[in-house]
């Protein structure tokens, strides 16, 4: 059996904060990495890695929208050959001298609220020559099918979360239209009664949408994996598009082992990702401790028992990915002694 672990934000993104690793007890993870050979690549983030891994090429954007439509779309809503783009609800707020974006991981939005807000947008844009229609297929995942507007070049939502947006707005030849639309939507949402009510209740207002992940459905993605285990909607969508088995991520490696069969498995452990993006140092440390207990410790035991022909751990961090790979024979190399995890983070 081959196992590939994908762990976004395994290393804390701020290398100027080495104390984040102080007193972290991670013997299983450190022992496992010590037996591995390593290499480093450029990375554009979690969505880009998943697309590349399953044979999806970048268009102007990574085509997240038509892919996730496979999961979110109803029977009468299919990607077809149309251009689709995500237009997810977000909260913008001012920090110091910049406008910072927060996505739905830090606020709640109900189906009714999503319907109200997109209904208002659709009524407003009904007379537009661009024929824009917003589809809230999930409360926190909105879509637009674009038939008369040039495609956008955008930044992934994961690249923008908890960051200033001034330098991350749509760019390229068609940026004037998309930036203008972005500003117009802000003005419309700002004055909506629903947002006034949210403000009274102390909830973050939904005052913009973020355009990202536009494209047309890619042809025949191909997967090198026998099975994908994750709670990530894009991973699930790519599995469906490539006819690969997909199973929700179990709580632990022990439970995973009960269902895992021979083949090549991808396991996406993304519990650290949001904590790192939103600078939640305590939450990140606690989540890493939990991964050590529930995943790395039993996987280290399985590795020593010879369960894996090859085990690979890919850590995504900022614009880099670090790959740690061990074959069964490598696990017997006793001279490769463990080092603190902070050594690999630098």
């Amino acid at each position: 059996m081959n196992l590939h672990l994908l762990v976004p934000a395994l290393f804390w993104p701020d290398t100027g904060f080495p104390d984040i690793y102080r007193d972290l007890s991670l013997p299983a993870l450190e022992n496992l990495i010590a037996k591995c050979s390593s290499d480093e690549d450029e990375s554009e983030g979690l969505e880009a890695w998943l697309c590349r891994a399953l044979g999806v090429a970048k268009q102007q954007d990574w085509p997240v929208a038509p892919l996730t439509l496979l999961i979110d779309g109803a029977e009468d809503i299919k990607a077809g050959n149309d251009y689709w783009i995500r237009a997810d609800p977000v909260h913008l707020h001012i920090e110091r001298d910049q406008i910072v974006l927060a996505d739905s991981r830090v606020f709640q939005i109900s189906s009714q609220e999503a319907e109200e807000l997109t209904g208002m947008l659709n009524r407003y844009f009904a007379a537009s020559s661009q024929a824009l229609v917003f589809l809230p297929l999930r409360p926190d995942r909105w879509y637009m099918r674009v038939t008369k507007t040039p495609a956008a070049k955008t930044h992934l939502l994961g690249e923008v979360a908890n960051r200033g947006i001034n330098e991350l707005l749509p760019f390229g030849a068609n940026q004037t239209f998309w930036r203008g639309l972005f500003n117009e939507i802000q003005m419309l949402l700002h004055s909506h009664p629903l947002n006034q009510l949210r403000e009274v209740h102390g909830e973050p207002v939904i005052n913009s949408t973020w355009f990202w992940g536009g494209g047309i459905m890619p042809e025949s993605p191909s997967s090198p994996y026998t099975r994908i285990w994750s709670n990530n909607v894009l991973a699930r969508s790519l599995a469906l598009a490539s006819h690969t088995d997909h199973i929700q991520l179990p709580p632990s490696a022990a439970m995973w082992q009960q269902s895992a069969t021979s083949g090549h498995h991808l396991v996406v452990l993304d519990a650290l990702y949001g904590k790192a993006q939103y600078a939640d140092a305590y939450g990140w440390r606690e989540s890493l401790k939990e991964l050590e207990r529930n995943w790395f410790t039993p996987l280290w035991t399985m590795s020593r028992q010879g369960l894996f022909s090859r085990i690979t751990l890919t850590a995504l961090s900022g614009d880099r990915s670090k790959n740690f790979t061990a074959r069964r024979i490598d696990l017997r190399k006793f001279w490769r002694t463990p080092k603190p995890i902070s050594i690999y983070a630098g």
Side-chain angles (χ1 to χ4, degrees):
M1 181 192 300
N2 291 337
L3 173 62
H4 194 154
L5 298 170
L6 178 63
V7 191
L10 177 63
F11 305 115
W12 186 251
D14 181 4
T15 56
F17 184 24
D19 283 352
I20 190 75
Y21 301 100
R22 187 184 299 276
D23 300 325
L24 269 177
S25 178
L26 305 168
L29 176 61
E30 290 167 353
N31 271 292
L32 180 60
I33 290 180
K35 305 302 181 186
C36 294
S37 58
S38 64
D39 62 74
E40 191 170 315
D41 294 317
E42 292 184 357
S43 171
E44 296 180 52
L46 174 59
E47 294 90 350
W49 191 96
L50 287 169
C51 285
R52 276 205 183 99
L54 280 93
V56 171
K58 189 174 187 179
Q59 300 170 18
Q60 289 205 78
D61 282 351
W62 293 101
V64 173
L67 286 163
T68 56
L69 193 67
L70 288 171
I71 302 298
D72 290 342
E75 281 297 320
D76 58 338
I77 300 175
K78 303 295 183 184
N81 295 318
D82 293 327
Y83 175 88
W84 290 82
I85 191 166
R86 289 272 291 271
D88 291 344
V90 297
H91 168 70
L92 303 179
H93 58 282
I94 297 175
E95 286 187 12
R96 301 183 182 90
D97 59 345
Q98 58 184 341
I99 299 173
V100 175
L101 180 147
D103 65 8
S104 61
R105 285 172 295 180
V106 297
F107 62 80
Q108 296 291 322
I109 178 170
S110 68
S111 297
Q112 182 180 349
E113 289 175 314
E115 292 286 350
E116 282 191 43
L117 294 174
T118 55
M120 179 271 293
L121 293 176
N122 287 335
R123 288 190 296 273
Y124 179 85
F125 288 110
S128 166
S129 61
Q130 305 296 335
L132 301 176
V133 178
F134 293 80
L135 300 172
L137 300 182
R138 293 292 185 273
D140 59 344
R141 295 199 291 273
W142 300 357
Y143 293 77
M144 285 199 326
R145 176 167 28 206
V146 180
T147 56
K148 299 182 180 180
T149 301
K153 293 186 74 172
T154 72
H155 292 274
L156 294 164
L157 184 59
E159 294 179 86
V160 186
N162 202 35
R163 295 182 60 187
I165 65 170
N166 292 350
E167 305 301 322
L168 299 172
L169 292 168
F171 60 99
N174 306 315
Q175 70 177 38
T176 300
F177 169 82
W178 287 99
R179 291 187 180 198
L181 181 60
F182 176 77
N183 291 330
E184 196 168 11
I185 289 169
Q186 282 185 67
M187 290 187 288
L188 291 168
L189 292 176
H190 174 74
S191 59
H192 195 282
L194 187 150
N195 272 327
Q196 295 173 8
L197 189 61
R198 288 178 67 94
E199 200 163 23
V200 168
H201 292 158
E203 299 173 348
V205 297
I206 313 301
N207 55 5
S208 192
T209 60
W210 189 255
F211 298 114
W212 70 287
I216 61 173
M217 178 60 75
E219 293 184 7
S220 305
S222 58
S223 171
Y225 302 106
T226 308
R227 183 170 289 175
I228 296 173
W229 309 72
S230 81
N231 297 327
N232 179 280
V233 66
L234 179 58
R236 182 181 168 198
S237 302
L238 286 162
L240 182 60
S242 62
H243 307 290
T244 305
D245 286 344
H246 177 275
I247 297 180
Q248 289 291 109
L249 186 70
S252 69
M255 293 183 66
W256 169 81
Q257 186 184 15
Q258 294 173 11
S259 302
T261 56
S262 61
H264 191 184
H265 298 261
L266 174 65
V267 173
V268 183
L269 301 175
D270 58 1
L272 302 170
Y273 188 44
K275 308 293 193 309
Q277 283 185 302
Y278 284 95
D280 178 4
Y282 175 80
W284 180 86
R285 282 173 55 94
E286 291 304 303
S287 293
L288 185 52
K289 292 176 187 176
E290 189 172 346
L291 286 178
E292 170 74 9
R293 287 192 301 271
N294 294 339
W295 283 91
F296 300 136
T297 296
L299 286 175
W300 172 236
T301 299
M302 295 175 207
S303 299
R304 296 174 67 191
Q305 293 170 345
L307 180 64
F308 305 117
S309 300
R310 178 184 298 267
I311 184 168
T312 300
L313 187 154
T314 295
L316 302 181
S317 181
D319 60 354
R320 310 299 298 173
S321 69
K322 298 183 180 183
N323 303 296
F324 303 92
T325 303
R327 301 163 299 165
R328 187 179 286 125
I329 193 173
D330 295 323
L331 298 165
R332 295 198 289 268
K333 295 179 178 178
F334 60 88
W335 58 89
R336 292 185 176 177
T337 55
K339 301 174 184 177
I341 193 68
S342 57
I343 297 295
Y344 306 99

